[in-house]
PDB file of all heavy atoms in Angstrom:
ATOM      1  N   THR A   1      -7.159  13.838   0.831  1.00  0.00           N
ATOM      2  CA  THR A   1      -8.589  13.590   0.989  1.00  0.00           C
ATOM      3  C   THR A   1      -9.324  13.864  -0.317  1.00  0.00           C
ATOM      4  O   THR A   1      -8.780  14.460  -1.255  1.00  0.00           O
ATOM      5  CB  THR A   1      -9.177  14.484   2.091  1.00  0.00           C
ATOM      6  OG1 THR A   1      -9.042  15.865   1.688  1.00  0.00           O
ATOM      7  CG2 THR A   1      -8.437  14.284   3.413  1.00  0.00           C
ATOM      8  N   GLU A   2     -10.585  13.446  -0.367  1.00  0.00           N
ATOM      9  CA  GLU A   2     -11.410  13.740  -1.538  1.00  0.00           C
ATOM     10  C   GLU A   2     -11.600  15.248  -1.695  1.00  0.00           C
ATOM     11  O   GLU A   2     -11.680  15.758  -2.822  1.00  0.00           O
ATOM     12  CB  GLU A   2     -12.765  13.050  -1.394  1.00  0.00           C
ATOM     13  CG  GLU A   2     -12.718  11.539  -1.573  1.00  0.00           C
ATOM     14  CD  GLU A   2     -14.095  10.911  -1.474  1.00  0.00           C
ATOM     15  OE1 GLU A   2     -14.660  10.895  -0.367  1.00  0.00           O
ATOM     16  OE2 GLU A   2     -14.597  10.448  -2.522  1.00  0.00           O
ATOM     17  N   LYS A   3     -11.679  15.958  -0.578  1.00  0.00           N
ATOM     18  CA  LYS A   3     -11.830  17.411  -0.629  1.00  0.00           C
ATOM     19  C   LYS A   3     -10.670  18.062  -1.353  1.00  0.00           C
ATOM     20  O   LYS A   3     -10.824  19.088  -2.019  1.00  0.00           O
ATOM     21  CB  LYS A   3     -11.947  17.964   0.802  1.00  0.00           C
ATOM     22  CG  LYS A   3     -12.163  19.468   0.864  1.00  0.00           C
ATOM     23  CD  LYS A   3     -12.300  19.930   2.309  1.00  0.00           C
ATOM     24  CE  LYS A   3     -12.451  21.453   2.380  1.00  0.00           C
ATOM     25  NZ  LYS A   3     -12.561  21.934   3.777  1.00  0.00           N
ATOM     26  N   GLU A   4      -9.470  17.458  -1.227  1.00  0.00           N
ATOM     27  CA  GLU A   4      -8.288  17.994  -1.892  1.00  0.00           C
ATOM     28  C   GLU A   4      -8.187  17.527  -3.345  1.00  0.00           C
ATOM     29  O   GLU A   4      -7.237  17.880  -4.046  1.00  0.00           O
ATOM     30  CB  GLU A   4      -7.024  17.572  -1.134  1.00  0.00           C
ATOM     31  CG  GLU A   4      -6.917  18.166   0.262  1.00  0.00           C
ATOM     32  CD  GLU A   4      -6.787  19.678   0.244  1.00  0.00           C
ATOM     33  OE1 GLU A   4      -6.144  20.198  -0.680  1.00  0.00           O
ATOM     34  OE2 GLU A   4      -7.340  20.334   1.143  1.00  0.00           O
ATOM     35  N   GLY A   5      -9.146  16.713  -3.791  1.00  0.00           N
ATOM     36  CA  GLY A   5      -9.185  16.316  -5.197  1.00  0.00           C
ATOM     37  C   GLY A   5      -8.664  14.932  -5.508  1.00  0.00           C
ATOM     38  O   GLY A   5      -8.591  14.540  -6.673  1.00  0.00           O
ATOM     39  N   TYR A   6      -8.305  14.144  -4.484  1.00  0.00           N
ATOM     40  CA  TYR A   6      -7.729  12.827  -4.741  1.00  0.00           C
ATOM     41  C   TYR A   6      -8.820  11.790  -5.026  1.00  0.00           C
ATOM     42  O   TYR A   6      -9.948  11.897  -4.557  1.00  0.00           O
ATOM     43  CB  TYR A   6      -6.884  12.376  -3.548  1.00  0.00           C
ATOM     44  CG  TYR A   6      -5.656  13.231  -3.338  1.00  0.00           C
ATOM     45  CD1 TYR A   6      -5.637  14.220  -2.353  1.00  0.00           C
ATOM     46  CD2 TYR A   6      -4.518  13.055  -4.126  1.00  0.00           C
ATOM     47  CE1 TYR A   6      -4.522  15.013  -2.164  1.00  0.00           C
ATOM     48  CE2 TYR A   6      -3.391  13.843  -3.932  1.00  0.00           C
ATOM     49  CZ  TYR A   6      -3.397  14.829  -2.952  1.00  0.00           C
ATOM     50  OH  TYR A   6      -2.293  15.611  -2.765  1.00  0.00           O
ATOM     51  N   ARG A   7      -8.424  10.751  -5.762  1.00  0.00           N
ATOM     52  CA  ARG A   7      -9.336   9.677  -6.134  1.00  0.00           C
ATOM     53  C   ARG A   7      -8.813   8.330  -5.613  1.00  0.00           C
ATOM     54  O   ARG A   7      -7.667   8.221  -5.190  1.00  0.00           O
ATOM     55  CB  ARG A   7      -9.481   9.618  -7.658  1.00  0.00           C
ATOM     56  CG  ARG A   7     -10.051  10.889  -8.273  1.00  0.00           C
ATOM     57  CD  ARG A   7     -10.085  10.795  -9.782  1.00  0.00           C
ATOM     58  NE  ARG A   7     -10.634  12.010 -10.400  1.00  0.00           N
ATOM     59  CZ  ARG A   7     -10.700  12.215 -11.711  1.00  0.00           C
ATOM     60  NH1 ARG A   7     -10.264  11.274 -12.552  1.00  0.00           N
ATOM     61  NH2 ARG A   7     -11.206  13.340 -12.195  1.00  0.00           N
ATOM     62  N   VAL A   8      -9.670   7.324  -5.667  1.00  0.00           N
ATOM     63  CA  VAL A   8      -9.292   5.974  -5.230  1.00  0.00           C
ATOM     64  C   VAL A   8      -8.496   5.298  -6.342  1.00  0.00           C
ATOM     65  O   VAL A   8      -8.902   5.300  -7.505  1.00  0.00           O
ATOM     66  CB  VAL A   8     -10.542   5.147  -4.880  1.00  0.00           C
ATOM     67  CG1 VAL A   8     -10.162   3.696  -4.602  1.00  0.00           C
ATOM     68  CG2 VAL A   8     -11.255   5.756  -3.676  1.00  0.00           C
ATOM     69  N   ALA A   9      -7.348   4.714  -5.961  1.00  0.00           N
ATOM     70  CA  ALA A   9      -6.469   4.031  -6.918  1.00  0.00           C
ATOM     71  C   ALA A   9      -5.627   3.024  -6.139  1.00  0.00           C
ATOM     72  O   ALA A   9      -5.557   3.085  -4.908  1.00  0.00           O
ATOM     73  CB  ALA A   9      -5.588   5.040  -7.647  1.00  0.00           C
ATOM     74  N   PRO A  10      -4.948   2.094  -6.823  1.00  0.00           N
ATOM     75  CA  PRO A  10      -4.176   1.063  -6.117  1.00  0.00           C
ATOM     76  C   PRO A  10      -3.054   1.638  -5.257  1.00  0.00           C
ATOM     77  O   PRO A  10      -2.349   2.558  -5.662  1.00  0.00           O
ATOM     78  CB  PRO A  10      -3.605   0.215  -7.261  1.00  0.00           C
ATOM     79  CG  PRO A  10      -4.558   0.412  -8.391  1.00  0.00           C
ATOM     80  CD  PRO A  10      -5.010   1.833  -8.268  1.00  0.00           C
ATOM     81  N   VAL A  11      -2.904   1.064  -4.037  1.00  0.00           N
ATOM     82  CA  VAL A  11      -1.820   1.408  -3.123  1.00  0.00           C
ATOM     83  C   VAL A  11      -1.250   0.110  -2.549  1.00  0.00           C
ATOM     84  O   VAL A  11      -1.921  -0.916  -2.524  1.00  0.00           O
ATOM     85  CB  VAL A  11      -2.289   2.328  -1.966  1.00  0.00           C
ATOM     86  CG1 VAL A  11      -2.811   3.644  -2.491  1.00  0.00           C
ATOM     87  CG2 VAL A  11      -3.368   1.629  -1.126  1.00  0.00           C
ATOM     88  N   ILE A  12       0.009   0.171  -2.081  1.00  0.00           N
ATOM     89  CA  ILE A  12       0.628  -0.981  -1.436  1.00  0.00           C
ATOM     90  C   ILE A  12       0.426  -0.860   0.061  1.00  0.00           C
ATOM     91  O   ILE A  12       0.781   0.156   0.666  1.00  0.00           O
ATOM     92  CB  ILE A  12       2.134  -1.052  -1.757  1.00  0.00           C
ATOM     93  CG1 ILE A  12       2.349  -1.270  -3.255  1.00  0.00           C
ATOM     94  CG2 ILE A  12       2.798  -2.173  -0.968  1.00  0.00           C
ATOM     95  CD1 ILE A  12       3.804  -1.246  -3.673  1.00  0.00           C
ATOM     96  N   GLN A  13      -0.146  -1.898   0.653  1.00  0.00           N
ATOM     97  CA  GLN A  13      -0.360  -1.906   2.101  1.00  0.00           C
ATOM     98  C   GLN A  13      -0.128  -3.317   2.622  1.00  0.00           C
ATOM     99  O   GLN A  13      -0.772  -4.265   2.183  1.00  0.00           O
ATOM    100  CB  GLN A  13      -1.784  -1.442   2.436  1.00  0.00           C
ATOM    101  CG  GLN A  13      -2.061  -1.389   3.934  1.00  0.00           C
ATOM    102  CD  GLN A  13      -3.429  -0.801   4.233  1.00  0.00           C
ATOM    103  OE1 GLN A  13      -3.837   0.192   3.633  1.00  0.00           O
ATOM    104  NE2 GLN A  13      -4.144  -1.414   5.142  1.00  0.00           N
ATOM    105  N   GLY A  14       0.808  -3.442   3.561  1.00  0.00           N
ATOM    106  CA  GLY A  14       1.114  -4.743   4.137  1.00  0.00           C
ATOM    107  C   GLY A  14       1.582  -5.746   3.102  1.00  0.00           C
ATOM    108  O   GLY A  14       1.274  -6.932   3.203  1.00  0.00           O
ATOM    109  N   GLY A  15       2.320  -5.282   2.094  1.00  0.00           N
ATOM    110  CA  GLY A  15       2.822  -6.164   1.059  1.00  0.00           C
ATOM    111  C   GLY A  15       1.800  -6.549   0.011  1.00  0.00           C
ATOM    112  O   GLY A  15       2.064  -7.366  -0.864  1.00  0.00           O
ATOM    113  N   GLU A  16       0.616  -5.933   0.061  1.00  0.00           N
ATOM    114  CA  GLU A  16      -0.460  -6.296  -0.860  1.00  0.00           C
ATOM    115  C   GLU A  16      -0.948  -5.067  -1.595  1.00  0.00           C
ATOM    116  O   GLU A  16      -0.977  -3.960  -1.045  1.00  0.00           O
ATOM    117  CB  GLU A  16      -1.606  -6.932  -0.067  1.00  0.00           C
ATOM    118  CG  GLU A  16      -2.707  -7.513  -0.927  1.00  0.00           C
ATOM    119  CD  GLU A  16      -3.746  -8.244  -0.100  1.00  0.00           C
ATOM    120  OE1 GLU A  16      -3.511  -8.437   1.112  1.00  0.00           O
ATOM    121  OE2 GLU A  16      -4.780  -8.627  -0.663  1.00  0.00           O
ATOM    122  N   LEU A  17      -1.323  -5.248  -2.842  1.00  0.00           N
ATOM    123  CA  LEU A  17      -1.847  -4.153  -3.651  1.00  0.00           C
ATOM    124  C   LEU A  17      -3.357  -4.088  -3.472  1.00  0.00           C
ATOM    125  O   LEU A  17      -4.069  -5.041  -3.801  1.00  0.00           O
ATOM    126  CB  LEU A  17      -1.499  -4.378  -5.123  1.00  0.00           C
ATOM    127  CG  LEU A  17      -1.580  -3.156  -6.055  1.00  0.00           C
ATOM    128  CD1 LEU A  17      -0.591  -2.091  -5.634  1.00  0.00           C
ATOM    129  CD2 LEU A  17      -1.321  -3.577  -7.496  1.00  0.00           C
ATOM    130  N   ILE A  18      -3.850  -2.967  -2.917  1.00  0.00           N
ATOM    131  CA  ILE A  18      -5.282  -2.798  -2.668  1.00  0.00           C
ATOM    132  C   ILE A  18      -5.703  -1.416  -3.158  1.00  0.00           C
ATOM    133  O   ILE A  18      -4.859  -0.571  -3.468  1.00  0.00           O
ATOM    134  CB  ILE A  18      -5.621  -2.939  -1.168  1.00  0.00           C
ATOM    135  CG1 ILE A  18      -4.938  -1.816  -0.361  1.00  0.00           C
ATOM    136  CG2 ILE A  18      -5.215  -4.310  -0.641  1.00  0.00           C
ATOM    137  CD1 ILE A  18      -5.361  -1.775   1.094  1.00  0.00           C
ATOM    138  N   ASP A  19      -7.005  -1.199  -3.218  1.00  0.00           N
ATOM    139  CA  ASP A  19      -7.521   0.126  -3.577  1.00  0.00           C
ATOM    140  C   ASP A  19      -7.516   1.028  -2.352  1.00  0.00           C
ATOM    141  O   ASP A  19      -7.913   0.605  -1.254  1.00  0.00           O
ATOM    142  CB  ASP A  19      -8.940   0.030  -4.137  1.00  0.00           C
ATOM    143  CG  ASP A  19      -8.967  -0.501  -5.560  1.00  0.00           C
ATOM    144  OD1 ASP A  19      -7.922  -0.430  -6.222  1.00  0.00           O
ATOM    145  OD2 ASP A  19     -10.029  -0.992  -5.990  1.00  0.00           O
ATOM    146  N   GLY A  20      -7.066   2.265  -2.534  1.00  0.00           N
ATOM    147  CA  GLY A  20      -7.041   3.225  -1.437  1.00  0.00           C
ATOM    148  C   GLY A  20      -7.086   4.645  -1.972  1.00  0.00           C
ATOM    149  O   GLY A  20      -6.752   4.897  -3.137  1.00  0.00           O
ATOM    150  N   LEU A  21      -7.505   5.563  -1.139  1.00  0.00           N
ATOM    151  CA  LEU A  21      -7.592   6.967  -1.549  1.00  0.00           C
ATOM    152  C   LEU A  21      -6.196   7.530  -1.784  1.00  0.00           C
ATOM    153  O   LEU A  21      -5.277   7.283  -1.006  1.00  0.00           O
ATOM    154  CB  LEU A  21      -8.313   7.779  -0.473  1.00  0.00           C
ATOM    155  CG  LEU A  21      -8.710   9.212  -0.842  1.00  0.00           C
ATOM    156  CD1 LEU A  21      -9.663   9.228  -2.029  1.00  0.00           C
ATOM    157  CD2 LEU A  21      -9.359   9.906   0.353  1.00  0.00           C
ATOM    158  N   ALA A  22      -6.021   8.273  -2.873  1.00  0.00           N
ATOM    159  CA  ALA A  22      -4.761   8.947  -3.223  1.00  0.00           C
ATOM    160  C   ALA A  22      -3.669   7.965  -3.635  1.00  0.00           C
ATOM    161  O   ALA A  22      -2.483   8.240  -3.446  1.00  0.00           O
ATOM    162  CB  ALA A  22      -4.278   9.837  -2.086  1.00  0.00           C
ATOM    163  N   GLY A  23      -4.057   6.819  -4.195  1.00  0.00           N
ATOM    164  CA  GLY A  23      -3.055   5.906  -4.721  1.00  0.00           C
ATOM    165  C   GLY A  23      -2.188   6.600  -5.758  1.00  0.00           C
ATOM    166  O   GLY A  23      -2.684   7.284  -6.647  1.00  0.00           O
ATOM    167  N   GLY A  24      -0.880   6.409  -5.664  1.00  0.00           N
ATOM    168  CA  GLY A  24       0.063   7.067  -6.574  1.00  0.00           C
ATOM    169  C   GLY A  24       0.966   8.066  -5.890  1.00  0.00           C
ATOM    170  O   GLY A  24       2.000   8.466  -6.433  1.00  0.00           O
ATOM    171  N   MET A  25       0.603   8.482  -4.667  1.00  0.00           N
ATOM    172  CA  MET A  25       1.410   9.499  -3.983  1.00  0.00           C
ATOM    173  C   MET A  25       2.794   8.964  -3.614  1.00  0.00           C
ATOM    174  O   MET A  25       3.744   9.729  -3.485  1.00  0.00           O
ATOM    175  CB  MET A  25       0.675   9.995  -2.742  1.00  0.00           C
ATOM    176  CG  MET A  25      -0.538  10.838  -3.054  1.00  0.00           C
ATOM    177  SD  MET A  25      -0.161  12.241  -4.128  1.00  0.00           S
ATOM    178  CE  MET A  25       0.869  13.201  -3.023  1.00  0.00           C
ATOM    179  N   CYS A  26       2.913   7.649  -3.435  1.00  0.00           N
ATOM    180  CA  CYS A  26       4.235   7.087  -3.134  1.00  0.00           C
ATOM    181  C   CYS A  26       5.174   7.245  -4.326  1.00  0.00           C
ATOM    182  O   CYS A  26       6.389   7.372  -4.151  1.00  0.00           O
ATOM    183  CB  CYS A  26       4.115   5.622  -2.733  1.00  0.00           C
ATOM    184  SG  CYS A  26       3.395   5.386  -1.090  1.00  0.00           S
TER     185      CYS A  26
END
């Protein structure tokens, strides 16, 4: 979450690259 310090960045969802919170954790 934002409270934990994460920012919005690209994530893979449904085979598509979109912006999402905590992108990079994968």
